[in-house]
Amino acid sequence: MEILNRLAESIDYIEKHLDQHLRHEDIAKIAYCSKFHFQRMFYMLTGVTLADYIRKRRLTVAAQELAASDVKVIDVALKYGYNTPESFSKAFSRLHGMSPSQAREEGGTLKAFPRLSFQIRIKGVEDMKYKVIEKESFQIIGKALEVTVKDGQNQTAIPAFWDELNQNGFTDSLQPYAGPLGFLGVCMDFNDQADTFNYCIGIEKTTADLPEGCIVKEIPAATWAVFEAVGPVDQAVHQTWDRIFSEWFPATGYELANAPQLEAYPEDGDVMAKDHVTQIWIPIVKK
């Protein structure tokens, strides 16, 4: 429950400071985690980015103020972080389907983006099976792409990166060297200042041979919680990540460690098959 309390406190902080400059790192500190991990966890739990949530909450409150008072549009725009009435009006219209001035007209229908709350989901007999593994440091070989979490760009950049390496034959060149974990997708080298991280596609390094074009990355020793996502990869992996953050972490005595996060895919098999198994490796620490 502690993680849910921290998330609730972070939402309280956002609500109290909607009319002030909100730094993501300050919000993340309330939840006792890095900015990157907080943004990732927030998106996994809510389906909306932290920046988008703040934007929609500000525009919701701004609409309420405009409809209930005679305050000037420019004053509301400045209050909620917009430098010009034009930028405010454009954002306002995208959310509400009308201009700020029209929001004052009787009968206008405004949209309200509600404040979030967090609860443990009760899934009945739907257990989450996992195992805890201690693994020494190891290396991976492959290719890396720097991606940003701004506006959820990583959600499209990573699948495109897989498509590129599958189509140009790079993943085929790695297959003869693949170890027991198969192919890996690794989030690492988190940069909180730039809102970026490196996403690596590769395999565990088990030989001195290095296929052409590969880089080598070090994965530190860690304690891992390993989950199995069963089903078509695009659905099963997302659903399992969601349950890890919304159900497993709140119900256990573990917290997310500041270390790489892995997804392991078998060498063979159809990733869209109903029985396909993807392993998700989460670095953890005991509270």
Side-chain angles (χ1 to χ4, degrees):
M1 290 294 292
E2 185 177 354
I3 190 173
L4 296 182
N5 292 334
R6 293 176 185 175
L7 286 167
E9 289 173 5
S10 71
I11 294 297
D12 285 341
Y13 179 83
I14 291 171
E15 291 295 317
K16 292 175 182 177
H17 296 83
L18 285 174
D19 59 351
Q20 301 172 35
H21 178 60
L22 280 167
R23 300 196 320 154
H24 290 189
E25 49 265 51
D26 293 336
I27 299 170
K29 284 179 183 177
I30 296 170
Y32 297 95
C33 59
S34 72
K35 183 173 70 169
F36 172 83
H37 286 119
F38 182 84
Q39 290 180 133
R40 181 174 173 83
M41 177 170 59
F42 191 93
Y43 182 81
M44 287 290 179
L45 289 173
T46 68
V48 64
T49 65
L50 178 60
D52 202 30
Y53 173 75
I54 293 171
R55 180 182 63 83
K56 289 180 177 179
R57 284 297 298 147
R58 282 174 167 160
L59 291 171
T60 295
V61 176
Q64 294 168 355
E65 290 189 18
L66 287 169
S69 70
D70 294 327
V71 64
K72 294 180 179 179
V73 172
I74 181 59
D75 292 335
V76 176
L78 293 174
K79 181 178 180 180
Y80 292 106
Y82 293 87
N83 294 325
T84 66
E86 290 77 18
S87 62
F88 175 66
S89 181
K90 185 176 181 180
F92 191 95
S93 298
R94 278 201 303 265
L95 180 65
H96 295 290
M98 66 178 70
S99 69
S101 298
Q102 290 172 323
R104 288 199 161 109
E105 298 176 3
E106 187 175 347
T109 302
L110 296 168
K111 294 181 181 179
F113 192 82
R115 169 182 170 146
L116 288 174
S117 61
F118 296 94
Q119 298 175 337
I120 294 179
R121 299 180 193 173
I122 306 301
K123 295 286 187 177
V125 296
E126 204 174 326
D127 296 329
M128 286 201 75
K129 296 180 180 179
Y130 70 97
K131 51 189 175 182
V132 175
I133 293 177
E134 300 284 346
K135 187 173 176 62
E136 295 298 321
S137 62
F138 63 100
Q139 293 180 324
I140 60 172
I141 56 175
K143 285 186 180 292
L145 176 72
E146 184 179 64
V147 296
T148 178
V149 298
K150 291 179 180 178
D151 300 320
Q153 291 180 37
N154 55 305
Q155 303 297 321
T156 55
I158 290 174
F161 190 39
W162 274 102
D163 289 342
E164 176 189 345
L165 298 192
N166 286 333
Q167 291 171 11
N168 67 18
F170 180 77
T171 51
D172 288 338
S173 72
L174 289 182
Q175 194 162 13
Y177 304 93
L181 291 178
F183 286 94
L184 300 171
V186 186
C187 297
M188 62 189 306
D189 302 331
F190 310 116
N191 186 334
D192 274 353
Q193 299 304 313
D195 287 338
T196 61
F197 65 96
N198 284 331
Y199 184 80
C200 300
I201 294 175
I203 58 174
E204 184 174 1
K205 189 175 187 295
T206 57
T207 175
D209 295 330
L210 197 64
E212 185 178 352
C214 281
I215 62 168
V216 180
K217 288 282 190 178
E218 186 82 15
I219 305 297
T223 302
W224 306 86
V226 182
F227 301 83
E228 290 189 346
V230 182
V233 66
D234 56 344
Q235 300 174 14
V237 170
H238 178 79
Q239 290 170 357
T240 303
W241 274 107
D242 178 72
R243 292 192 66 200
I244 289 168
F245 283 111
S246 64
E247 299 175 41
W248 188 79
F249 273 122
T252 65
Y254 293 106
E255 292 184 340
L256 182 66
N258 189 15
Q261 301 162 19
L262 319 177
E263 291 174 1
Y265 308 91
E267 293 180 61
D268 51 9
D270 180 5
V271 296
M272 301 306 293
K274 292 182 179 180
D275 59 350
H276 180 269
V277 177
T278 302
Q279 286 189 342
I280 297 177
W281 288 57
I282 306 290
I284 55 173
V285 292
K286 200 73 175 176
K287 289 181 183 177

